[in-house]
PDB file of all heavy atoms in Angstrom:
ATOM      1  N   ASN A   1     -15.706  -1.512 -72.998  1.00 97.00           N
ATOM      2  CA  ASN A   1     -15.152  -0.157 -73.143  1.00 97.00           C
ATOM      3  C   ASN A   1     -15.993   0.857 -72.373  1.00 97.00           C
ATOM      4  O   ASN A   1     -15.457   1.744 -71.715  1.00 97.00           O
ATOM      5  CB  ASN A   1     -15.077   0.238 -74.623  1.00 97.00           C
ATOM      6  CG  ASN A   1     -14.009  -0.533 -75.382  1.00 97.00           C
ATOM      7  OD1 ASN A   1     -13.097  -1.096 -74.792  1.00 97.00           O
ATOM      8  ND2 ASN A   1     -14.136  -0.562 -76.693  1.00 97.00           N
ATOM      9  N   ILE A   2     -17.303   0.724 -72.471  1.00 97.00           N
ATOM     10  CA  ILE A   2     -18.199   1.630 -71.746  1.00 97.00           C
ATOM     11  C   ILE A   2     -18.008   1.461 -70.244  1.00 97.00           C
ATOM     12  O   ILE A   2     -17.957   2.445 -69.495  1.00 97.00           O
ATOM     13  CB  ILE A   2     -19.665   1.388 -72.159  1.00 97.00           C
ATOM     14  CG1 ILE A   2     -19.886   1.856 -73.599  1.00 97.00           C
ATOM     15  CG2 ILE A   2     -20.627   2.089 -71.204  1.00 97.00           C
ATOM     16  CD1 ILE A   2     -21.230   1.458 -74.172  1.00 97.00           C
ATOM     17  N   ASP A   3     -17.868   0.212 -69.794  1.00 97.00           N
ATOM     18  CA  ASP A   3     -17.656  -0.045 -68.370  1.00 97.00           C
ATOM     19  C   ASP A   3     -16.362   0.600 -67.892  1.00 97.00           C
ATOM     20  O   ASP A   3     -16.310   1.199 -66.812  1.00 97.00           O
ATOM     21  CB  ASP A   3     -17.628  -1.556 -68.120  1.00 97.00           C
ATOM     22  CG  ASP A   3     -17.608  -1.890 -66.648  1.00 97.00           C
ATOM     23  OD1 ASP A   3     -18.364  -1.265 -65.885  1.00 97.00           O
ATOM     24  OD2 ASP A   3     -16.828  -2.788 -66.264  1.00 97.00           O
ATOM     25  N   GLN A   4     -15.315   0.508 -68.694  1.00 97.00           N
ATOM     26  CA  GLN A   4     -14.040   1.133 -68.333  1.00 97.00           C
ATOM     27  C   GLN A   4     -14.167   2.649 -68.263  1.00 97.00           C
ATOM     28  O   GLN A   4     -13.641   3.291 -67.353  1.00 97.00           O
ATOM     29  CB  GLN A   4     -12.951   0.742 -69.347  1.00 97.00           C
ATOM     30  CG  GLN A   4     -11.588   1.294 -69.025  1.00 97.00           C
ATOM     31  CD  GLN A   4     -11.062   0.780 -67.702  1.00 97.00           C
ATOM     32  OE1 GLN A   4     -11.247  -0.372 -67.354  1.00 97.00           O
ATOM     33  NE2 GLN A   4     -10.411   1.648 -66.946  1.00 97.00           N
ATOM     34  N   ARG A   5     -14.896   3.220 -69.226  1.00 97.00           N
ATOM     35  CA  ARG A   5     -15.098   4.677 -69.213  1.00 97.00           C
ATOM     36  C   ARG A   5     -15.885   5.102 -67.982  1.00 97.00           C
ATOM     37  O   ARG A   5     -15.585   6.130 -67.357  1.00 97.00           O
ATOM     38  CB  ARG A   5     -15.827   5.121 -70.476  1.00 97.00           C
ATOM     39  CG  ARG A   5     -14.967   5.067 -71.711  1.00 97.00           C
ATOM     40  CD  ARG A   5     -15.725   5.520 -72.919  1.00 97.00           C
ATOM     41  NE  ARG A   5     -14.934   5.373 -74.134  1.00 97.00           N
ATOM     42  CZ  ARG A   5     -15.394   5.587 -75.343  1.00 97.00           C
ATOM     43  NH1 ARG A   5     -16.642   5.971 -75.520  1.00 97.00           N
ATOM     44  NH2 ARG A   5     -14.609   5.427 -76.391  1.00 97.00           N
ATOM     45  N   LEU A   6     -16.917   4.335 -67.629  1.00 96.00           N
ATOM     46  CA  LEU A   6     -17.705   4.667 -66.441  1.00 96.00           C
ATOM     47  C   LEU A   6     -16.852   4.587 -65.180  1.00 96.00           C
ATOM     48  O   LEU A   6     -16.983   5.425 -64.272  1.00 96.00           O
ATOM     49  CB  LEU A   6     -18.911   3.731 -66.329  1.00 96.00           C
ATOM     50  CG  LEU A   6     -20.036   3.969 -67.323  1.00 96.00           C
ATOM     51  CD1 LEU A   6     -21.120   2.918 -67.169  1.00 96.00           C
ATOM     52  CD2 LEU A   6     -20.634   5.355 -67.143  1.00 96.00           C
ATOM     53  N   THR A   7     -15.966   3.604 -65.123  1.00 96.00           N
ATOM     54  CA  THR A   7     -15.060   3.497 -63.976  1.00 96.00           C
ATOM     55  C   THR A   7     -14.159   4.724 -63.895  1.00 96.00           C
ATOM     56  O   THR A   7     -13.948   5.281 -62.809  1.00 96.00           O
ATOM     57  CB  THR A   7     -14.213   2.211 -64.093  1.00 96.00           C
ATOM     58  OG1 THR A   7     -15.092   1.081 -64.150  1.00 96.00           O
ATOM     59  CG2 THR A   7     -13.277   2.059 -62.929  1.00 96.00           C
ATOM     60  N   ASN A   8     -13.642   5.162 -65.041  1.00 96.00           N
ATOM     61  CA  ASN A   8     -12.802   6.365 -65.061  1.00 96.00           C
ATOM     62  C   ASN A   8     -13.581   7.602 -64.641  1.00 96.00           C
ATOM     63  O   ASN A   8     -13.066   8.454 -63.910  1.00 96.00           O
ATOM     64  CB  ASN A   8     -12.207   6.569 -66.453  1.00 96.00           C
ATOM     65  CG  ASN A   8     -11.195   5.501 -66.817  1.00 96.00           C
ATOM     66  OD1 ASN A   8     -10.670   4.811 -65.954  1.00 96.00           O
ATOM     67  ND2 ASN A   8     -10.930   5.355 -68.099  1.00 96.00           N
ATOM     68  N   ILE A   9     -14.825   7.713 -65.101  1.00 97.00           N
ATOM     69  CA  ILE A   9     -15.665   8.867 -64.736  1.00 97.00           C
ATOM     70  C   ILE A   9     -15.959   8.845 -63.240  1.00 97.00           C
ATOM     71  O   ILE A   9     -15.907   9.889 -62.571  1.00 97.00           O
ATOM     72  CB  ILE A   9     -16.964   8.866 -65.569  1.00 97.00           C
ATOM     73  CG1 ILE A   9     -16.642   9.206 -67.029  1.00 97.00           C
ATOM     74  CG2 ILE A   9     -17.979   9.843 -64.997  1.00 97.00           C
ATOM     75  CD1 ILE A   9     -17.812   9.006 -67.983  1.00 97.00           C
ATOM     76  N   GLU A  10     -16.254   7.662 -62.689  1.00 96.00           N
ATOM     77  CA  GLU A  10     -16.510   7.564 -61.254  1.00 96.00           C
ATOM     78  C   GLU A  10     -15.279   7.977 -60.452  1.00 96.00           C
ATOM     79  O   GLU A  10     -15.394   8.659 -59.425  1.00 96.00           O
ATOM     80  CB  GLU A  10     -16.927   6.136 -60.891  1.00 96.00           C
ATOM     81  CG  GLU A  10     -18.317   5.770 -61.361  1.00 96.00           C
ATOM     82  CD  GLU A  10     -18.645   4.299 -61.149  1.00 96.00           C
ATOM     83  OE1 GLU A  10     -17.722   3.500 -60.862  1.00 96.00           O
ATOM     84  OE2 GLU A  10     -19.816   3.949 -61.290  1.00 96.00           O
ATOM     85  N   SER A  11     -14.119   7.575 -60.917  1.00 96.00           N
ATOM     86  CA  SER A  11     -12.878   7.962 -60.233  1.00 96.00           C
ATOM     87  C   SER A  11     -12.688   9.475 -60.290  1.00 96.00           C
ATOM     88  O   SER A  11     -12.330  10.111 -59.287  1.00 96.00           O
ATOM     89  CB  SER A  11     -11.691   7.248 -60.886  1.00 96.00           C
ATOM     90  OG  SER A  11     -10.480   7.674 -60.320  1.00 96.00           O
ATOM     91  N   LEU A  12     -12.926  10.045 -61.464  1.00 96.00           N
ATOM     92  CA  LEU A  12     -12.802  11.500 -61.623  1.00 96.00           C
ATOM     93  C   LEU A  12     -13.786  12.233 -60.721  1.00 96.00           C
ATOM     94  O   LEU A  12     -13.426  13.233 -60.074  1.00 96.00           O
ATOM     95  CB  LEU A  12     -13.039  11.886 -63.086  1.00 96.00           C
ATOM     96  CG  LEU A  12     -12.999  13.378 -63.405  1.00 96.00           C
ATOM     97  CD1 LEU A  12     -11.610  13.944 -63.138  1.00 96.00           C
ATOM     98  CD2 LEU A  12     -13.418  13.618 -64.843  1.00 96.00           C
ATOM     99  N   LEU A  13     -15.018  11.749 -60.659  1.00 96.00           N
ATOM    100  CA  LEU A  13     -16.010  12.381 -59.785  1.00 96.00           C
ATOM    101  C   LEU A  13     -15.592  12.302 -58.322  1.00 96.00           C
ATOM    102  O   LEU A  13     -15.828  13.238 -57.547  1.00 96.00           O
ATOM    103  CB  LEU A  13     -17.384  11.736 -59.991  1.00 96.00           C
ATOM    104  CG  LEU A  13     -18.086  12.072 -61.302  1.00 96.00           C
ATOM    105  CD1 LEU A  13     -19.378  11.275 -61.435  1.00 96.00           C
ATOM    106  CD2 LEU A  13     -18.367  13.555 -61.414  1.00 96.00           C
ATOM    107  N   GLY A  14     -14.978  11.195 -57.945  1.00 95.00           N
ATOM    108  CA  GLY A  14     -14.482  11.071 -56.573  1.00 95.00           C
ATOM    109  C   GLY A  14     -13.444  12.137 -56.266  1.00 95.00           C
ATOM    110  O   GLY A  14     -13.494  12.787 -55.212  1.00 95.00           O
ATOM    111  N   TRP A  15     -12.505  12.332 -57.197  1.00 95.00           N
ATOM    112  CA  TRP A  15     -11.485  13.368 -56.996  1.00 95.00           C
ATOM    113  C   TRP A  15     -12.107  14.757 -57.000  1.00 95.00           C
ATOM    114  O   TRP A  15     -11.692  15.634 -56.225  1.00 95.00           O
ATOM    115  CB  TRP A  15     -10.407  13.269 -58.077  1.00 95.00           C
ATOM    116  CG  TRP A  15      -9.399  12.207 -57.773  1.00 95.00           C
ATOM    117  CD1 TRP A  15      -9.275  10.993 -58.355  1.00 95.00           C
ATOM    118  CD2 TRP A  15      -8.398  12.267 -56.767  1.00 95.00           C
ATOM    119  NE1 TRP A  15      -8.262  10.290 -57.797  1.00 95.00           N
ATOM    120  CE2 TRP A  15      -7.687  11.049 -56.808  1.00 95.00           C
ATOM    121  CE3 TRP A  15      -8.019  13.227 -55.830  1.00 95.00           C
ATOM    122  CZ2 TRP A  15      -6.637  10.773 -55.948  1.00 95.00           C
ATOM    123  CZ3 TRP A  15      -6.968  12.948 -54.985  1.00 95.00           C
ATOM    124  CH2 TRP A  15      -6.284  11.742 -55.050  1.00 95.00           C
ATOM    125  N   LEU A  16     -13.084  14.992 -57.859  1.00 95.00           N
ATOM    126  CA  LEU A  16     -13.747  16.304 -57.889  1.00 95.00           C
ATOM    127  C   LEU A  16     -14.472  16.581 -56.573  1.00 95.00           C
ATOM    128  O   LEU A  16     -14.496  17.730 -56.105  1.00 95.00           O
ATOM    129  CB  LEU A  16     -14.717  16.386 -59.065  1.00 95.00           C
ATOM    130  CG  LEU A  16     -14.075  16.481 -60.454  1.00 95.00           C
ATOM    131  CD1 LEU A  16     -15.155  16.458 -61.532  1.00 95.00           C
ATOM    132  CD2 LEU A  16     -13.223  17.734 -60.571  1.00 95.00           C
ATOM    133  N   LYS A  17     -15.038  15.545 -55.972  1.00 95.00           N
ATOM    134  CA  LYS A  17     -15.688  15.732 -54.670  1.00 95.00           C
ATOM    135  C   LYS A  17     -14.667  16.146 -53.618  1.00 95.00           C
ATOM    136  O   LYS A  17     -14.914  17.037 -52.806  1.00 95.00           O
ATOM    137  CB  LYS A  17     -16.382  14.438 -54.230  1.00 95.00           C
ATOM    138  CG  LYS A  17     -17.661  14.145 -54.947  1.00 95.00           C
ATOM    139  CD  LYS A  17     -18.253  12.832 -54.435  1.00 95.00           C
ATOM    140  CE  LYS A  17     -19.453  12.406 -55.223  1.00 95.00           C
ATOM    141  NZ  LYS A  17     -19.977  11.111 -54.757  1.00 95.00           N
ATOM    142  N   VAL A  18     -13.513  15.494 -53.635  1.00 95.00           N
ATOM    143  CA  VAL A  18     -12.466  15.816 -52.655  1.00 95.00           C
ATOM    144  C   VAL A  18     -11.978  17.241 -52.869  1.00 95.00           C
ATOM    145  O   VAL A  18     -11.872  18.029 -51.916  1.00 95.00           O
ATOM    146  CB  VAL A  18     -11.296  14.805 -52.772  1.00 95.00           C
ATOM    147  CG1 VAL A  18     -10.100  15.268 -51.958  1.00 95.00           C
ATOM    148  CG2 VAL A  18     -11.753  13.426 -52.348  1.00 95.00           C
ATOM    149  N   ILE A  19     -11.684  17.586 -54.121  1.00 96.00           N
ATOM    150  CA  ILE A  19     -11.198  18.940 -54.423  1.00 96.00           C
ATOM    151  C   ILE A  19     -12.272  19.979 -54.107  1.00 96.00           C
ATOM    152  O   ILE A  19     -11.989  21.030 -53.523  1.00 96.00           O
ATOM    153  CB  ILE A  19     -10.744  19.027 -55.897  1.00 96.00           C
ATOM    154  CG1 ILE A  19      -9.500  18.161 -56.102  1.00 96.00           C
ATOM    155  CG2 ILE A  19     -10.486  20.464 -56.316  1.00 96.00           C
ATOM    156  CD1 ILE A  19      -9.108  17.975 -57.550  1.00 96.00           C
ATOM    157  N   GLY A  20     -13.518  19.686 -54.488  1.00 95.00           N
ATOM    158  CA  GLY A  20     -14.628  20.602 -54.194  1.00 95.00           C
ATOM    159  C   GLY A  20     -14.816  20.786 -52.701  1.00 95.00           C
ATOM    160  O   GLY A  20     -15.061  21.899 -52.221  1.00 95.00           O
ATOM    161  N   GLY A  21     -14.677  19.714 -51.940  1.00 95.00           N
ATOM    162  CA  GLY A  21     -14.793  19.813 -50.482  1.00 95.00           C
ATOM    163  C   GLY A  21     -13.688  20.664 -49.898  1.00 95.00           C
ATOM    164  O   GLY A  21     -13.921  21.479 -48.988  1.00 95.00           O
ATOM    165  N   ALA A  22     -12.481  20.496 -50.438  1.00 95.00           N
ATOM    166  CA  ALA A  22     -11.353  21.297 -49.947  1.00 95.00           C
ATOM    167  C   ALA A  22     -11.548  22.773 -50.281  1.00 95.00           C
ATOM    168  O   ALA A  22     -11.312  23.654 -49.439  1.00 95.00           O
ATOM    169  CB  ALA A  22     -10.044  20.786 -50.555  1.00 95.00           C
ATOM    170  N   VAL A  23     -12.000  23.068 -51.507  1.00 96.00           N
ATOM    171  CA  VAL A  23     -12.251  24.454 -51.907  1.00 96.00           C
ATOM    172  C   VAL A  23     -13.355  25.050 -51.047  1.00 96.00           C
ATOM    173  O   VAL A  23     -13.261  26.203 -50.599  1.00 96.00           O
ATOM    174  CB  VAL A  23     -12.598  24.533 -53.416  1.00 96.00           C
ATOM    175  CG1 VAL A  23     -13.149  25.900 -53.787  1.00 96.00           C
ATOM    176  CG2 VAL A  23     -11.385  24.189 -54.263  1.00 96.00           C
ATOM    177  N   LEU A  24     -14.391  24.299 -50.787  1.00 95.00           N
ATOM    178  CA  LEU A  24     -15.494  24.778 -49.949  1.00 95.00           C
ATOM    179  C   LEU A  24     -15.008  25.039 -48.524  1.00 95.00           C
ATOM    180  O   LEU A  24     -15.371  26.062 -47.920  1.00 95.00           O
ATOM    181  CB  LEU A  24     -16.642  23.750 -49.942  1.00 95.00           C
ATOM    182  CG  LEU A  24     -17.882  24.134 -49.160  1.00 95.00           C
ATOM    183  CD1 LEU A  24     -18.519  25.392 -49.749  1.00 95.00           C
ATOM    184  CD2 LEU A  24     -18.878  22.990 -49.144  1.00 95.00           C
ATOM    185  N   ALA A  25     -14.186  24.154 -48.001  1.00 95.00           N
ATOM    186  CA  ALA A  25     -13.657  24.349 -46.649  1.00 95.00           C
ATOM    187  C   ALA A  25     -12.801  25.611 -46.577  1.00 95.00           C
ATOM    188  O   ALA A  25     -12.899  26.390 -45.618  1.00 95.00           O
ATOM    189  CB  ALA A  25     -12.852  23.122 -46.229  1.00 95.00           C
ATOM    190  N   ILE A  26     -11.963  25.820 -47.591  1.00 96.00           N
ATOM    191  CA  ILE A  26     -11.131  27.037 -47.618  1.00 96.00           C
ATOM    192  C   ILE A  26     -11.999  28.284 -47.723  1.00 96.00           C
ATOM    193  O   ILE A  26     -11.777  29.283 -47.029  1.00 96.00           O
ATOM    194  CB  ILE A  26     -10.111  26.958 -48.773  1.00 96.00           C
ATOM    195  CG1 ILE A  26      -9.089  25.856 -48.486  1.00 96.00           C
ATOM    196  CG2 ILE A  26      -9.423  28.296 -49.003  1.00 96.00           C
ATOM    197  CD1 ILE A  26      -8.195  25.520 -49.664  1.00 96.00           C
ATOM    198  N   ALA A  27     -13.016  28.227 -48.600  1.00 94.00           N
ATOM    199  CA  ALA A  27     -13.914  29.380 -48.769  1.00 94.00           C
ATOM    200  C   ALA A  27     -14.650  29.687 -47.471  1.00 94.00           C
ATOM    201  O   ALA A  27     -14.765  30.859 -47.067  1.00 94.00           O
ATOM    202  CB  ALA A  27     -14.902  29.114 -49.902  1.00 94.00           C
ATOM    203  N   LEU A  28     -15.145  28.666 -46.799  1.00 94.00           N
ATOM    204  CA  LEU A  28     -15.844  28.886 -45.530  1.00 94.00           C
ATOM    205  C   LEU A  28     -14.890  29.437 -44.469  1.00 94.00           C
ATOM    206  O   LEU A  28     -15.269  30.293 -43.667  1.00 94.00           O
ATOM    207  CB  LEU A  28     -16.496  27.582 -45.055  1.00 94.00           C
ATOM    208  CG  LEU A  28     -17.710  27.118 -45.862  1.00 94.00           C
ATOM    209  CD1 LEU A  28     -18.198  25.768 -45.358  1.00 94.00           C
ATOM    210  CD2 LEU A  28     -18.836  28.149 -45.791  1.00 94.00           C
ATOM    211  N   SER A  29     -13.664  28.968 -44.488  1.00 94.00           N
ATOM    212  CA  SER A  29     -12.675  29.475 -43.540  1.00 94.00           C
ATOM    213  C   SER A  29     -12.387  30.955 -43.796  1.00 94.00           C
ATOM    214  O   SER A  29     -12.308  31.757 -42.850  1.00 94.00           O
ATOM    215  CB  SER A  29     -11.390  28.666 -43.652  1.00 94.00           C
ATOM    216  OG  SER A  29     -10.399  29.204 -42.837  1.00 94.00           O
ATOM    217  N   LEU A  30     -12.250  31.321 -45.074  1.00 94.00           N
ATOM    218  CA  LEU A  30     -12.002  32.733 -45.403  1.00 94.00           C
ATOM    219  C   LEU A  30     -13.195  33.602 -45.012  1.00 94.00           C
ATOM    220  O   LEU A  30     -13.020  34.704 -44.477  1.00 94.00           O
ATOM    221  CB  LEU A  30     -11.703  32.877 -46.891  1.00 94.00           C
ATOM    222  CG  LEU A  30     -10.368  32.286 -47.365  1.00 94.00           C
ATOM    223  CD1 LEU A  30     -10.280  32.355 -48.887  1.00 94.00           C
ATOM    224  CD2 LEU A  30      -9.206  33.021 -46.717  1.00 94.00           C
ATOM    225  N   ILE A  31     -14.402  33.108 -45.273  1.00 93.00           N
ATOM    226  CA  ILE A  31     -15.608  33.865 -44.899  1.00 93.00           C
ATOM    227  C   ILE A  31     -15.679  34.012 -43.383  1.00 93.00           C
ATOM    228  O   ILE A  31     -15.990  35.091 -42.858  1.00 93.00           O
ATOM    229  CB  ILE A  31     -16.871  33.190 -45.465  1.00 93.00           C
ATOM    230  CG1 ILE A  31     -16.887  33.306 -46.991  1.00 93.00           C
ATOM    231  CG2 ILE A  31     -18.128  33.790 -44.862  1.00 93.00           C
ATOM    232  CD1 ILE A  31     -17.964  32.474 -47.658  1.00 93.00           C
ATOM    233  N   ALA A  32     -15.391  32.930 -42.675  1.00 93.00           N
ATOM    234  CA  ALA A  32     -15.433  32.987 -41.208  1.00 93.00           C
ATOM    235  C   ALA A  32     -14.390  33.972 -40.679  1.00 93.00           C
ATOM    236  O   ALA A  32     -14.673  34.750 -39.754  1.00 93.00           O
ATOM    237  CB  ALA A  32     -15.201  31.600 -40.627  1.00 93.00           C
ATOM    238  N   ASN A  33     -13.205  33.967 -41.248  1.00 93.00           N
ATOM    239  CA  ASN A  33     -12.171  34.923 -40.817  1.00 93.00           C
ATOM    240  C   ASN A  33     -12.585  36.350 -41.126  1.00 93.00           C
ATOM    241  O   ASN A  33     -12.348  37.260 -40.327  1.00 93.00           O
ATOM    242  CB  ASN A  33     -10.828  34.606 -41.501  1.00 93.00           C
ATOM    243  CG  ASN A  33     -10.166  33.394 -40.916  1.00 93.00           C
ATOM    244  OD1 ASN A  33     -10.435  33.024 -39.775  1.00 93.00           O
ATOM    245  ND2 ASN A  33      -9.306  32.753 -41.694  1.00 93.00           N
ATOM    246  N   PHE A  34     -13.218  36.566 -42.301  1.00 91.00           N
ATOM    247  CA  PHE A  34     -13.681  37.895 -42.669  1.00 91.00           C
ATOM    248  C   PHE A  34     -14.747  38.381 -41.691  1.00 91.00           C
ATOM    249  O   PHE A  34     -14.699  39.526 -41.206  1.00 91.00           O
ATOM    250  CB  PHE A  34     -14.215  37.871 -44.111  1.00 91.00           C
ATOM    251  CG  PHE A  34     -14.671  39.185 -44.623  1.00 91.00           C
ATOM    252  CD1 PHE A  34     -13.758  40.185 -44.942  1.00 91.00           C
ATOM    253  CD2 PHE A  34     -16.025  39.451 -44.787  1.00 91.00           C
ATOM    254  CE1 PHE A  34     -14.190  41.407 -45.423  1.00 91.00           C
ATOM    255  CE2 PHE A  34     -16.460  40.668 -45.252  1.00 91.00           C
ATOM    256  CZ  PHE A  34     -15.543  41.655 -45.580  1.00 91.00           C
TER     257      PHE A  34
END
């Protein structure tokens, strides 16, 4: 059960990295345009 939870957490962290990278890219783009 713990192994399954860790797998789910790792998957969630992977998605958070992707979303965080996209948000950071958008923020940098807005700052650069400003």
Side-chain angles (χ1 to χ4, degrees):
N1 290 341
I2 290 171
D3 188 44
Q4 182 62 39
R5 287 180 184 174
L6 287 176
T7 301
N8 292 341
I9 290 170
E10 288 173 347
S11 176
L12 178 64
L13 288 175
W15 279 106
L16 288 176
K17 285 180 186 178
V18 169
I19 293 170
V23 168
L24 182 62
I26 292 169
L28 289 176
S29 175
L30 291 173
I31 292 170
N33 286 337
F34 182 72

